[in-house]
């Protein structure tokens, strides 16, 4: 189902760096109440770019439309009002468009005072994700058996929405292949693969389709201004796109889990998180200095957190260390994840109004590691000197290098890179001897 659309979410962004002065949750609650007053439940959401914040000039204009109507006979004021309206629309659209493009206030995502999300108006009017692009989708589970049981036996289980941000680099395809082979053992799972690139990767479309797991392939590039930031908000645009996808489909049944493409997942993780009522948490192995990050549990309750990097975070946990019930999440229309490296988990969990007594410890009361923050060594894609005249159907090498190039692993060149060493009987042979 190849399709292409860009759809900004009708939803403001929430973020605040100042815990004391601006309580995100309280602010959200207020906005939520206002929103409920404005829009009856079930009513269609308004178009984001035309939606006015109650205190915005546009809201004022809307309120004054009756005044305009009341002066129908007077042409001059009507014309004036019309011009005023057009000017204001133009101005408001300009601001929103700038914000939606991530240009609202600079791109220094690593800097507290310069992450483009301090202005309350910006927070309220910025869409959750500005460039969500649906590449392909397979809703049918084509697997006949999972863990030696026929698929029908799993029908009653809630679906796990496994969100994987990924980005083009040499290691991308092997990472996703390895992850897919874990997920193939998991019943009732929808894999949301959100690629950090401008267009759709057709090779990935095909690959995902072949696995037979229900999936959605999104293209959701990081806004260019954030890409320059050091550190850059890695995997945020894609996770935001996945949140938007869930929201657009009104999916309120199931479990959300953020599973990076390079982590290692124990199959028990999936049965553990599937029972999540609100938010479940568990330790993640290989995190930072302690080799672990996770909740401290006493008498079956989460009472604190163990993590070597606090930075004032209320929820100092790793992205892979929690799961969220979608029905619970649906109560929080301002769910968000800011472009703020290191604070994504904390701010996301705040945006869904998490309370300590709501957290469900998993993994035998957080004594087991069900997920590892493994990291793959990154290397540049290779360039090999291999004459293009030989990369035809006479040998396998043409097709092999075409495939490696598509996967971003290696490419053949007539002029660059070390000469390809081709050998026979332990001796290097001339390319022409073997390939012509
Ligand atoms: N990622 C991304 N765009 C980037 C860098 C990373 O989408 O520019 C994804 C990556 O594929 C992974 C997640 O974001 O799923 C976290 O990135 P990474 O594993 O590099 O970070 P780390 O685990 O080391 O914090
Ligand atoms: Mn990683």
């Amino acid at each position: 189902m190849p399709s292409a659309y860009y759809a900004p979410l009708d939803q403001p962004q929430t973020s605040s760096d100042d815990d004391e002065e601006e309580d995100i949750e309280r602010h959200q609650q207020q906005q939520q109440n206002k929103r409920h007053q404005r829009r009856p439940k079930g009513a269609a959401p308004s178009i984001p770019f035309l939606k006015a914040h109650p205190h915005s000039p546009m809201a004022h204009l809307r309120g004054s439309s009756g005044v305009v109507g009341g002066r129908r006979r007077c042409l001059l004021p009507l014309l004036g009002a019309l011009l005023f309206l057009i000017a204001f629309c133009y101005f408001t659209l300009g601001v929103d468009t700038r914000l939606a493009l991530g240009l609202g206030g600079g791109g220094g995502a690593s800097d507290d005072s310069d992450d483009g999300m301090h202005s309350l108006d910006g927070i309220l009017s910025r869409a959750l994700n500005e460039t969500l692009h649906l590449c392909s989708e397979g809703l049918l589970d084509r697997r006949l058996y999972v863990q030696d049981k026929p698929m029908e036996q799993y029908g009653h289980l809630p679906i796990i929405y496994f969100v994987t941000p990924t980005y083009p680099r040499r290691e991308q395809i092997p990472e996703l292949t390895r992850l897919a082979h874990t997920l193939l053992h998991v019943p009732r799972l929808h894999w949301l693969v959100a690629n950090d690139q401008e267009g759709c990767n057709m090779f990935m479309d095909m690959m995902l389709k072949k696995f037979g797991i229900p999936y959605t392939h999104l293209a959701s590039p990081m806004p260019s201004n954030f890409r320059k930031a050091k550190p850059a908000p890695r995997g945020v645009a894609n996770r935001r796109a996945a949140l938007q996808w869930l929201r657009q489909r009104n999916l309120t049944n199931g479990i959300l889990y953020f599973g990076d493409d390079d982590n290692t997942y124990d199959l028990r993780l999936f049965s553990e998180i599937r029972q999540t009522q609100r938010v479940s948490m568990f330790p993640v192995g290989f995190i930072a200095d302690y080799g672990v990050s996770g909740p401290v549990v006493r008498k079956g309750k989460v009472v604190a957190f163990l993590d070597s990097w606090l930075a004032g975070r209320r929820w100092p946990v790793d992205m892979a260390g929690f799961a969220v019930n979608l029905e619970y999440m649906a109560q929080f229309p301002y769910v968000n994840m800011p472009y703020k490296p290191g604070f994504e988990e904390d701010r996301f969990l705040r945006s869904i109004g998490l309370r300590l007594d709501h957290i469900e410890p998993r993994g035998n009361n957080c004594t087991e590691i069900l997920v590892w923050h493994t990291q793959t060594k990154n290397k540049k894609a290779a360039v090999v000197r291999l004459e293009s005249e030989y990369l035809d159907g006479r040998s396998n090498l043409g097709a092999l290098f075409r495939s490696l190039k598509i996967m971003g692993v290696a490419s053949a060149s007539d002029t660059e890179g070390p000469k390809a060493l081709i050998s026979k009987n332990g001796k290097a042979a001339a390319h022409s001897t073997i390939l012509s």
Side-chain angles (χ1 to χ4, degrees), residues 317-337:
V317 294
D318 185 72
M319 197 62 81
F322 62 87
V324 182
N325 183 301
L326 287 182
E327 196 180 349
Y328 168 75
M329 195 169 90
Q331 296 169 35
F332 300 91
Y334 299 106
V335 55
N336 213 301
M337 185 177 290

Side-chain angles (χ1 to χ4, degrees), residues 1 136 142 204-212 215:
M1 190 178 81
S136 67
R142 291 192 287 104
M204 227 154 87
D205 275 340
M206 278 164 28
M207 188 178 92
L208 293 171
K209 209 169 286 173
K210 271 192 222 153
F211 290 128
Y215 78 95

Side-chain angles (χ1 to χ4, degrees), residues 165-167 196 222 234-235 238-239 260-262 373 375:
T166 185
Y167 70 111
D196 183 355
M222 186 190 297
R234 302 163 76 78
N238 358 23
R239 295 190 193 100
D260 288 357
D261 58 4
D262 54 346
H373 181 250
Q375 290 176 304

Side-chain angles (χ1 to χ4, degrees), residues 185-197:
H185 295 289
V186 185
R188 302 279 289 169
L189 180 136
H190 188 101
W191 195 12
L192 273 159
V193 182
N195 200 9
D196 183 355
Q197 77 168 46

Side-chain angles (χ1 to χ4, degrees), residues 59-204:
H60 165 73
L61 269 176
R62 276 190 186 169
S64 67
S65 61
V67 178
V68 174
R71 295 176 188 171
R72 240 173 250 165
R73 274 173 238 164
C74 190
L75 200 64
L76 224 63
L78 180 65
L79 258 173
L82 254 173
L83 278 171
F84 186 60
L85 181 76
I86 289 164
F88 249 121
C89 278
Y90 178 80
F91 173 74
T92 312
L93 276 176
V95 169
D96 278 354
T97 308
R98 280 204 304 279
L99 287 162
L101 290 170
L103 305 173
S110 57
D111 180 350
D112 268 15
S113 62
D114 192 27
D115 64 0
M117 294 184 296
H118 269 260
S119 137
L120 200 61
D121 280 345
I123 290 168
L124 289 166
S125 55
R126 185 167 167 174
L128 181 63
N129 192 274
E130 45 279 9
T131 50
L132 163 61
H133 192 93
L134 180 64
C135 296
S136 67
E137 205 161 47
L139 299 179
L140 196 73
D141 201 325
R142 291 192 287 104
R143 297 171 291 176
L144 296 178
Y145 291 86
V146 170
Q147 297 193 28
D148 295 332
K149 282 189 198 154
M151 288 304 290
E152 303 86 75
Q153 290 198 12
Y154 297 111
H156 62 287
L157 295 177
I159 294 175
I160 294 173
Y161 291 89
F162 192 94
V163 171
T164 299
T166 185
Y167 70 111
R169 82 268 194 207
R170 192 186 75 135
E171 295 77 17
Q172 183 176 38
I173 299 301
E175 300 274 35
L176 291 172
T177 304
R178 181 172 51 191
L179 176 51
H181 285 89
T182 297
L183 301 184
L184 275 165
H185 295 289
V186 185
R188 302 279 289 169
L189 180 136
H190 188 101
W191 195 12
L192 273 159
V193 182
N195 200 9
D196 183 355
Q197 77 168 46
E198 205 55 59
C200 292
N201 178 336
M202 279 165 64
F203 182 86
M204 227 154 87

Side-chain angles (χ1 to χ4, degrees), residues 175-434:
E175 300 274 35
L176 291 172
T177 304
R178 181 172 51 191
L179 176 51
H181 285 89
T182 297
L183 301 184
L184 275 165
H185 295 289
V186 185
R188 302 279 289 169
L189 180 136
H190 188 101
W191 195 12
L192 273 159
V193 182
N195 200 9
D196 183 355
Q197 77 168 46
E198 205 55 59
C200 292
N201 178 336
M202 279 165 64
F203 182 86
M204 227 154 87
D205 275 340
M206 278 164 28
M207 188 178 92
L208 293 171
K209 209 169 286 173
K210 271 192 222 153
F211 290 128
I213 306 170
Y215 78 95
T216 298
H217 175 196
L218 304 172
S220 47
M222 186 190 297
S224 56
N225 55 325
F226 292 121
R227 208 173 276 287
K228 286 175 224 133
K230 279 202 168 51
R234 302 163 76 78
V236 177
N238 358 23
R239 295 190 193 100
R240 288 163 61 89
L243 287 172
Q244 183 175 340
W245 184 91
L246 291 167
R247 176 56 48 86
Q248 280 175 342
R249 274 148 195 82
N250 247 333
L251 289 169
T252 54
N253 209 335
I255 311 298
L256 165 66
Y257 180 74
F258 294 110
D260 288 357
D261 58 4
D262 54 346
N263 291 342
T264 304
Y265 305 93
D266 190 309
L267 288 182
R268 288 174 302 157
L269 171 76
F270 300 92
S271 5
E272 291 282 300
I273 61 174
R274 213 186 284 276
Q275 309 311 325
T276 304
Q277 299 300 304
R278 291 186 181 105
V279 176
S280 58
M281 284 194 181
F282 31 88
V284 180
F286 283 170
I287 296 287
D289 294 349
Y290 303 161
V292 68
S293 160
V296 178
V297 178
R298 291 190 66 169
K299 295 184 183 147
K301 296 268 176 209
V302 173
V303 295
F305 297 89
L306 172 77
D307 188 288
S308 62
W309 187 68
L310 184 55
R313 293 179 300 162
R314 189 183 301 171
W315 311 114
V317 294
D318 185 72
M319 197 62 81
F322 62 87
V324 182
N325 183 301
L326 287 182
E327 196 180 349
Y328 168 75
M329 195 169 90
Q331 296 169 35
F332 300 91
Y334 299 106
V335 55
N336 213 301
M337 185 177 290
Y339 287 101
K340 193 172 170 55
F343 294 83
E344 297 94 335
E345 298 89 348
D346 181 55
R347 297 304 197 262
F348 169 77
L349 291 168
R350 288 180 190 218
S351 85
I352 56 168
L354 183 62
R355 285 168 33 183
L356 197 63
D357 58 343
H358 281 172
I359 303 171
E360 304 144 45
R362 290 281 186 271
N364 202 4
N365 270 331
C366 296
T367 56
E368 295 168 3
I369 301 286
L370 302 176
V371 51
W372 300 89
H373 181 250
T374 40
Q375 290 176 304
T376 305
K377 197 171 175 182
N378 285 87
K379 247 184 133 179
K380 264 191 182 168
V383 181
V384 182
R385 193 142 53 83
L386 190 54
E387 298 87 329
S388 51
E389 61 173 301
Y390 298 133
L391 296 180
D392 55 15
R394 284 174 289 179
S395 81
N396 65 315
L397 295 186
L400 179 62
F401 272 89
R402 272 194 298 282
S403 162
L404 289 168
K405 191 170 169 82
I406 289 170
M407 294 190 287
V409 175
S411 59
S413 162
D414 281 299
T415 53
E416 283 171 52
K419 191 175 171 191
L421 187 63
I422 296 178
S423 66
K424 192 170 179 182
N425 292 331
K427 280 194 184 139
H431 292 180
S432 55
T433 317
I434 308 288

